[in-house]
Every structure is written in structure tokens, then in C-alpha cells.
């Protein structure tokens, strides 16, 4: 007896062959869409890994509409929104900003504070496209190095960053809600 295909496996194949998404620079009017996809993707990435109350507190503080309005108004920040071509539903995003990491930082550095996609788009090339866009945006800002922090237990993310040429350059403690976590700090020249 054949197993029925899940809606996720068929959409992944379709997306891989012919992407039905687009990337664009986000503005202050996109704060609600950024907030929505930020909360959803953080929950997807860490549900069952981090404490639920910590996830809710972290998203409420760091992924609110107000937080994204603040980022959009900051000329040192660049947010990129990934959205479905049909209907413009938000499905991923990146956020570049001045670095706030416990490593030696120079004027040519920028931090990739966030890069997330919804799980339904894993394996579709969206993550790689967002990463390439982050490299391009960093170059446009005359930056030479991208830094990022990532949860030490997120092996999928480690593999993704290492595949894109990042190397570990340090570590930090990162507070999510009420719980401290160990993060790796990665860097890569652009």
C-alpha cells in the first residue's frame, strides 16, 4: 500500500524546481508582516527545544511590531522580507544591524541578527537566497565581514552557516525569556 504524500513534501518539490517566492527590502510598513513571520519561525525552530514561556517572552519583546518599526527606522539596519509570489504572505526574513556581540568588532563589520524561513520552505533554496541577499546588502553598506550568533544546540543552523563559509570565532551567553543559553558566534568575510 502506498503512503499518501504530505502537503509539505509535494510543495517542497514544487518550490525547489520553480520558486514561488520573492525577496524585497522591508520598510516600516512591513513591521506587522516581519513580526508575524519572526514569531512563527522562532516558534517552529525552538518549540520542544526551549521552554515555551521563554519563547513567548522572547518573541513578545524582540519580534513585536514596535521592534520591527524601530529597526526599519534605523539607517544602520536592513530587513529583507521573503514572501509568496501569490498573495505576498510572509515566509522568511533577514535582519542586518550594527554588531552587538562579545568579539572584536570593527567598523567594517555587520551582524546578521536574524535569518529565518518557515519550515514549509526548508530545502527550497529560500535560506540560501536570503543568505546571498544578506551578503549583497552587507557589501552595499561597505561592510567586509558578517557576524552572527546562533544557539549552540541548533545543529541544523550550524551546518547551514558552515556550508555558507562561516567559521566559529567566539561564544556568548544569550537570554531567551528567563533562561540563559550558550551560543556560537560565527563570522565570514563578504
Amino acid at each position: 500500500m502506498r503512503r499518501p504524500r504530505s502537503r509539505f513534501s509535494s510543495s517542497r518539490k514544487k518550490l525547489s524546481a520553480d520558486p514561488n517566492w520573492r525577496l524585497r527590502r522591508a520598510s516600516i510598513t512591513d513591521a506587522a508582516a516581519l513580526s508575524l513571520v519572526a514569531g512563527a519561525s522562532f516558534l517552529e525552530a525552538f518549540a520542544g527545544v526551549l521552554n515555551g514561556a521563554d519563547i513567548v517572552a522572547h518573541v513578545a519583546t524582540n519580534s513585536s511590531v514596535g521592534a520591527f518599526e524601530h529597526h526599519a527606522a534605523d539607517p544602520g539596519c536592513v530587513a529583507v522580507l521573503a514572501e509568496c509570489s501569490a498573495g505576498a504572505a510572509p515566509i522568511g526574513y533577514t535582519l542586518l544591524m550594527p554588531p552587538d556581540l562579545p568579539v572584536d568588532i570593527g567598523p567594517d563589520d555587520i551582524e546578521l541578527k536574524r535569518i529565518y524561513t518557515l519550515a514549509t520552505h526548508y530545502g527550497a533554496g529560500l535560506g540560501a537566497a536570503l543568505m546571498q541577499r544578506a551578503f549583497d546588502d552587507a557589501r552595499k553598506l561597505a561592510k567586509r565581514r558578517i557576524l552572527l550568533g546562533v544557539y549552540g544546540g541548533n545543529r541544523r543552523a550550524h551546518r547551514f552557516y558552515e556550508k555558507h563559509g562561516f567559521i566559529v570565532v567566539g561564544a556568548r551567553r544569550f537570554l531567551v525569556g528567563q533562561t540563559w543559553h550558550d551560543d556560537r558566534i560565527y563570522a565570514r568575510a563578504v
Side-chain angles (χ1 to χ4, degrees):
M1 182 175 188
R2 289 177 40 173
R3 291 179 61 186
R5 293 177 112 182
S6 80
R7 66 183 176 97
F8 298 113
S9 64
S10 63
S11 67
R12 250 191 222 124
K13 287 181 183 177
K14 179 182 176 194
L15 290 171
S16 296
D18 183 20
N20 65 354
W21 42 263
R22 63 177 171 254
L23 306 181
R24 65 176 178 82
R25 175 122 184 217
S27 71
I28 199 162
T29 62
D30 296 307
L34 288 163
S35 176
L36 176 65
V37 74
S41 57
F42 193 83
L43 178 62
E44 279 186 336
F46 295 110
V49 177
L50 304 181
N51 177 284
D54 287 342
I55 292 170
V56 171
H58 180 80
V59 168
T61 300
N62 298 292
S63 298
S64 67
V65 172
F68 281 106
E69 288 172 341
H70 174 77
H71 296 314
D74 183 340
C77 295
V78 175
V80 169
L81 186 61
E83 50 191 17
C84 290
S85 296
I91 56 173
Y93 75 108
T94 61
L95 180 62
L96 287 168
M97 61 191 330
D100 180 25
L101 295 165
V103 295
D104 289 332
I105 294 170
D108 295 335
D109 292 336
I110 195 159
E111 181 179 351
L112 180 55
K113 189 72 169 177
R114 305 206 197 132
I115 178 170
Y116 283 96
T117 67
L118 295 180
T120 53
H121 289 76
Y122 287 177
L126 179 57
L130 282 165
M131 183 61 79
Q132 184 59 53
R133 177 67 182 260
F135 296 152
D136 295 343
D137 287 338
R139 283 186 205 98
K140 287 178 189 171
L141 294 170
K143 302 301 180 182
R144 294 182 166 191
R145 185 171 74 152
I146 292 183
L147 300 160
L148 61 88
V150 61
Y151 173 56
N154 191 341
R155 305 288 181 242
R156 180 183 182 92
H158 300 167
R159 287 189 305 272
F160 177 76
Y161 297 133
E162 291 164 8
K163 176 181 165 183
H164 286 88
F166 285 86
I167 60 168
V168 176
V169 296
R172 71 169 175 190
R173 300 279 288 153
F174 188 74
L175 185 64
V176 177
Q178 299 293 314
T179 308
W180 287 97
H181 298 277
D182 294 315
D183 281 7
R184 292 180 178 183
I185 299 173
Y186 281 91
R188 184 203 150 169
V190 294

